[in-house]
Amino acid sequence: MRSTILAAYLAATCLQAQAQPPRLYLTTEARSAYGGQAPRPPAGAATDTVRAVMARAGIVHSLDPLPWKRAYNTALERADACVYPTSRIPERERQFKWVGPISQIDWVLMARADRGMQLRSLDDARGLRIGTYHGDVRDQYLHARGFDVDPVTDDLANPRKLMLNRVDLWATSIQRATGTVKRLGYTGKIVPVLTFNRTSLYLACNHAVPDALVARMNEALASMERDGSRRAILEKHAQARPDEGQAGVPER
């Protein structure tokens, strides 16, 4: 009798566990409010897209805004974690399982307009000091290729350093740069001088996240593309903040 009761209890526990929806811990970069250090809640097209994917895939999730380096490393180290919006480049390909793309970005080098700088290729930037954001994809990319990078922990410092001639160039995305330059009052003073790459942005998940769950999320995103809801999210945010690009949060 005792063994029968125990077997029934274990069976019920297993069924209950199977009935629970999967859970994921999502991270993204905390945004600093203009002029201060207080983090903003995650917002924008990328976040709306990811939340819609979770809802369609039936996945319970939490979303934590963190400094980018910590957000990225959490997804590498924590078995149930994913980070977005993450550039999918060859150096990162085997580090994660990928859901997306959720957006695309163009990488640019920005310079002071009054310097009249003309670059034909990325190699023309060798020997110049390039301001980067510590740990982001462009910082990693340029450092790995031997460029003289000067990373900062707050990307708003880069256009200011550029205006003070403390760096020669600023490596960013055109989507990010457009809004930042406008907010800082540098429109016409800081301009793009070279577009040197284009990457797609993804939700990047730890290798322990089950393949079936990754496939479910990708199918949810594909269904949003088919029924137009993904496009509706992009158009809503483009109308609300046309100067910030599609991602809505810093893209890394």
Side-chain angles (χ1 to χ4, degrees), residues 29-42 65 154 156:
E29 183 175 14
R31 300 184 69 186
S32 293
Y34 177 70
Q37 297 301 315
R40 297 178 184 175
D154 181 353
L156 286 176

Side-chain angles (χ1 to χ4, degrees), residues 5 35-36 48 85 97-98 101-102 107 142 173 205 208 213 252:
I5 294 173
D48 284 359
K97 294 179 180 179
W98 301 92
I102 58 176
W107 298 3
L142 293 169
S173 71
C205 295
L213 203 56
R252 305 301 179 206

Side-chain angles (χ1 to χ4, degrees), residues 136-165:
D136 89 340
V137 64
R138 288 165 291 271
D139 179 48
Q140 295 172 350
Y141 182 92
L142 293 169
H143 182 268
R145 286 158 179 79
F147 286 88
D148 182 11
V149 296
D150 184 15
V152 295
T153 56
D154 181 353
D155 202 29
L156 286 176
N158 278 314
R160 292 168 176 147
K161 289 172 65 177
L162 197 58
M163 294 303 296
L164 293 170
N165 289 318

Side-chain angles (χ1 to χ4, degrees), residues 104-148:
Q104 283 190 329
I105 53 167
D106 292 322
W107 298 3
V108 295
L109 294 177
M110 307 288 290
R112 285 182 54 151
D114 59 7
R115 292 189 62 178
M117 191 175 294
Q118 294 183 356
L119 303 181
R120 293 167 298 177
S121 70
L122 188 58
D123 275 339
D124 289 343
R126 291 196 182 277
L128 299 176
R129 195 162 183 80
I130 304 173
T132 59
Y133 178 58
H134 179 62
D136 89 340
V137 64
R138 288 165 291 271
D139 179 48
Q140 295 172 350
Y141 182 92
L142 293 169
H143 182 268
R145 286 158 179 79
F147 286 88
D148 182 11

Side-chain angles (χ1 to χ4, degrees), residues 171-191:
T172 182
S173 71
I174 191 61
Q175 294 88 339
R176 175 74 167 160
T178 301
T180 301
V181 167
K182 181 178 179 180
R183 287 194 298 276
L184 293 178
Y186 295 150
T187 300
K189 298 178 181 179
I190 295 178
V191 296

